[in-house]
Amino acid sequence: RLMTGRLSEKIEKKIEARRKVNKGWFIPMDRLYRQYGVERESFHNRKFSGEPLKVLMRNAIEIFNDAKAIIRMHKKPSVDDSVINQLCDETGATLFACHEMFLQLNISTPTEDDVENAGLKIGAFMGRYRRMRDNTLPPQGTFNGGACA
């Protein structure tokens, strides 16, 4: 158990050091997220969850439109800007479709129309998700330094 604790501390120190490197795109993306009121949850290993995730999904189209400039600055020269545009557009639209789906699914007393709309929203989200997963994930080695934010 003591060894596990030490290993966890070492890993956390490495993660913290990576966040402080100004060469990557992690810090600029975090600044962009915060401009839209999206904060990483410190108690969930800095992952988005709960209310911050809802805010991210609600503002996804705008956030990822703004993210294009940040990501372009950190891409490899051989990667065309159209790849970044497609990635950001699809990511923003997919997250927003997820937001719309959850809004529809959380109607407290749904009517028949609400149920029908929920099915449409689920289909729209799943279609976008599958297309994004299959077609727009960036090829290995697209970005210089840093993992996906």
Side-chain angles (χ1 to χ4, degrees):
R1 235 176 150 74
L2 184 58
M3 188 174 249
T4 304
R6 287 184 186 152
L7 181 59
S8 293
E9 286 177 26
K10 284 183 179 181
I11 291 170
E12 194 57 40
K13 284 181 183 178
K14 294 240 183 222
I15 290 171
E16 196 62 36
R18 182 179 61 90
R19 285 185 197 132
K20 292 178 182 175
V21 174
N22 287 326
K23 293 179 185 176
W25 55 298
F26 189 90
I27 291 172
M29 285 300 296
D30 262 5
R31 287 183 185 133
L32 177 62
Y33 295 140
R34 284 194 299 269
Q35 286 177 6
Y36 286 89
V38 180
E39 295 282 341
R40 290 183 185 269
E41 299 284 357
S42 59
F43 50 87
H44 286 295
N45 293 328
R46 297 190 43 79
K47 293 191 171 50
F48 297 118
S49 65
E51 190 59 32
L53 182 57
K54 290 177 186 177
V55 174
L56 175 64
M57 290 189 304
R58 184 172 48 244
N59 297 300
I61 293 171
E62 293 85 4
I63 289 171
F64 285 94
N65 192 44
D66 292 349
K68 291 175 186 177
I70 294 169
I71 296 172
R72 279 190 198 112
M73 290 180 354
H74 296 282
K75 72 176 179 70
K76 289 188 175 179
S78 61
V79 177
D80 191 71
D81 284 351
S82 65
V83 172
I84 304 304
N85 290 341
Q86 182 182 9
L87 176 66
C88 289
D89 290 344
E90 283 295 317
T91 301
T94 301
L95 288 171
F96 187 73
C98 185
H99 165 70
E100 288 185 318
M101 176 187 71
F102 280 120
L103 283 179
Q104 193 67 39
L105 290 173
N106 284 304
I107 294 175
S108 58
T109 51
T111 65
E112 289 293 321
D113 285 344
D114 293 331
V115 172
E116 185 177 328
N117 284 335
L120 294 173
K121 299 287 183 184
I122 291 168
F125 166 69
M126 291 307 298
R128 285 196 165 281
Y129 172 76
R130 287 184 186 113
R131 276 193 311 277
M132 188 178 117
R133 180 195 63 204
D134 296 341
N135 298 326
T136 64
L137 289 178
Q140 185 86 11
T142 299
F143 304 107
N144 291 318
C148 291

